[in-house]
Amino acid sequence: MGKLAIMSDLHVDINRLAEPEFALLVEVLRERQITRVHFAGDTANKITTTLAVNHYFVQAGFPVTFNLGNHEMADLSGEEAIEHFPDHDFLNLRTKRLNEQTVLLGLNGWYDYQFSELSDPQKISAMKNLYWYDRNIKRAADDLTTNQHMLTAVKIVLDDLARKKQQVVIATHFVPQAAFIVTLTGKYQVWNKLNAFLGSRSLGELFDQYDNLQQVVFGHTHRRFPDQVIHGTRYSCRPFGYFYEWRLTRDFVLANQLVTEYNPMKLRPVIRQHQPAFDQYRNAHLKIEFAQAMTIVDY
């Protein structure tokens, strides 16, 4: 028996995570008796940094695999690099055997615009080019065509695994089920339009067709949710996210009465004004934050 830990959205550059913080994460992994680690995208903005993080945990004694998130994709040049990044531990449409019955399948994923309130693909694409980080990603086709290519490739792999009667754990970056999409109201409802870039409803519909999918783990939302079982498959979403979105950050600002209204998007200047105190609080509670942002799969 082993234990696979899947984590996403570490964003080590934005979160200023380095060796001291990685050492804390290693402590959590060892305390949880983890035997294998998979990073499900957005470890960093630069692929060289992502690979360096992978190497750190390999050196710490953990077999490591990974797939890409949109932040790493923006640092790569060309479709071949995104879909077939030349690294032995890269899993996109590739599997790693966990035991005789179960494999880990890594998928980068993509989006099909179906989670947006908007229905016009041209308007959605224009919004992406104005507001969304992914405008920096250079792909061979438009988003809907890219999503369709992904679905075709994923189906071939899943059909093969079903024929082999393999149980499958999937790690991907983007959201595959609408149950994990938050619809906002009031002055924040404009964000609902940007849900277009969170994931692919059509990928979830494809997953629904297979009864050998044990668990699907993903991130990208920067929100953590309770697990849900959909069509017999367990879905887990516990991204680490940006430092101003962490639970420990919320606890810090509320306990010290630094804000009258909690809004993560407005916390960065508040943290800067209280940086030494926040750093001390972060160091004391970061292990708990790591543990809350980890999905553990027994195999």
Side-chain angles (χ1 to χ4, degrees):
M1 291 291 291
K3 289 181 179 290
L4 166 67
I6 303 177
M7 300 187 73
S8 73
D9 301 273
L10 286 180
H11 292 289
V12 301
D13 31 26
I14 295 170
N15 291 326
R16 297 187 296 118
L17 304 181
E19 197 281 333
E21 291 76 29
F22 300 157
L24 290 177
L25 179 50
V26 166
E27 289 182 21
V28 176
L29 295 171
R30 289 175 176 163
E31 289 167 2
R32 299 293 184 93
Q33 298 182 307
I34 299 302
T35 55
R36 174 176 289 278
V37 176
H38 182 89
F39 293 115
D42 282 7
T43 298
N45 283 357
K46 296 294 184 181
I47 190 65
T48 52
T49 304
T50 290
L51 296 178
V53 172
N54 292 350
H55 180 71
Y56 180 93
F57 288 93
V58 169
Q59 291 298 107
F62 300 97
V64 172
T65 50
F66 73 106
N67 60 267
L68 301 179
N70 53 314
H71 281 246
E72 285 105 348
M73 291 179 188
D75 190 45
L76 296 174
S77 179
E79 194 72 14
E80 180 69 16
I82 292 174
E83 293 297 296
H84 306 287
F85 185 76
D87 188 281
H88 179 266
D89 297 319
F90 173 62
L91 298 186
N92 180 46
L93 301 168
R94 294 171 54 195
T95 61
K96 180 71 67 172
R97 181 170 295 279
L98 299 177
N99 57 38
E100 288 301 313
Q101 296 79 34
T102 309
V103 298
L104 169 65
L105 171 62
L107 301 174
N108 290 338
W110 199 241
Y111 33 80
D112 62 4
Y113 295 176
Q114 292 193 52
F115 294 141
S116 176
E117 288 184 345
L118 297 176
S119 58
D120 186 334
Q122 290 186 334
K123 289 182 179 180
I124 295 174
S125 180
M127 181 173 293
K128 172 182 172 178
N129 290 330
L130 281 174
Y131 300 114
W132 203 247
Y133 186 87
D134 295 13
R135 64 185 180 274
N136 300 308
I137 302 174
K138 307 302 181 187
R139 305 220 59 165
D142 63 77
D143 291 331
L144 300 187
T145 302
T146 297
N147 181 76
Q148 189 57 54
H149 289 165
M150 175 196 68
L151 294 176
T152 300
V154 172
K155 186 177 188 305
I156 291 171
V157 175
L158 291 181
D159 285 348
D160 181 59
L161 293 171
R163 281 193 297 269
K164 295 176 179 176
K165 302 187 184 305
Q166 292 284 294
Q167 289 294 303
V168 183
V169 175
I170 294 177
T172 186
H173 187 68
F174 297 91
V175 182
Q177 293 286 358
F180 297 89
I181 299 297
V182 174
T183 301
L184 302 175
T185 58
K187 61 183 178 180
Y188 299 114
Q189 64 185 4
V190 65
W191 290 96
N192 298 335
K193 298 176 182 179
L194 299 177
N195 287 345
F197 317 119
L198 290 187
S200 171
R201 185 192 297 269
S202 51
L203 181 61
E205 291 171 349
L206 178 63
F207 288 167
D208 292 344
Q209 299 174 27
Y210 297 87
D211 59 12
N212 63 322
L213 300 191
Q214 175 181 316
Q215 191 162 357
V216 177
V217 185
F218 56 96
H220 191 47
T221 62
H222 288 206
R223 289 176 179 263
R224 300 173 201 161
F225 297 82
D227 284 4
Q228 293 200 40
V229 176
I230 301 172
H231 289 276
T233 298
R234 180 173 296 278
Y235 286 81
S236 304
C237 181
R238 298 184 185 87
F240 191 59
Y242 297 140
F243 69 92
Y244 51 86
E245 301 166 319
W246 295 341
R247 293 181 183 179
L248 73 82
T249 305
R250 175 178 179 145
D251 293 345
F252 172 77
V253 298
L254 294 180
N256 290 281
Q257 299 181 330
L258 301 181
V259 295
T260 55
E261 179 185 0
Y262 175 74
N263 182 345
M265 299 302 293
K266 296 182 178 180
L267 291 185
R268 282 171 285 186
V270 176
I271 295 302
R272 283 195 297 269
Q273 292 169 12
H274 301 85
Q275 196 71 56
F278 175 74
D279 289 344
Q280 184 177 9
Y281 189 90
R282 184 194 78 150
N283 293 341
H285 295 85
L286 191 57
K287 284 181 65 175
I288 297 173
E289 196 75 30
F290 279 138
Q292 292 172 341
M294 181 183 302
T295 297
I296 298 175
V297 181
D298 293 325
Y299 64 89

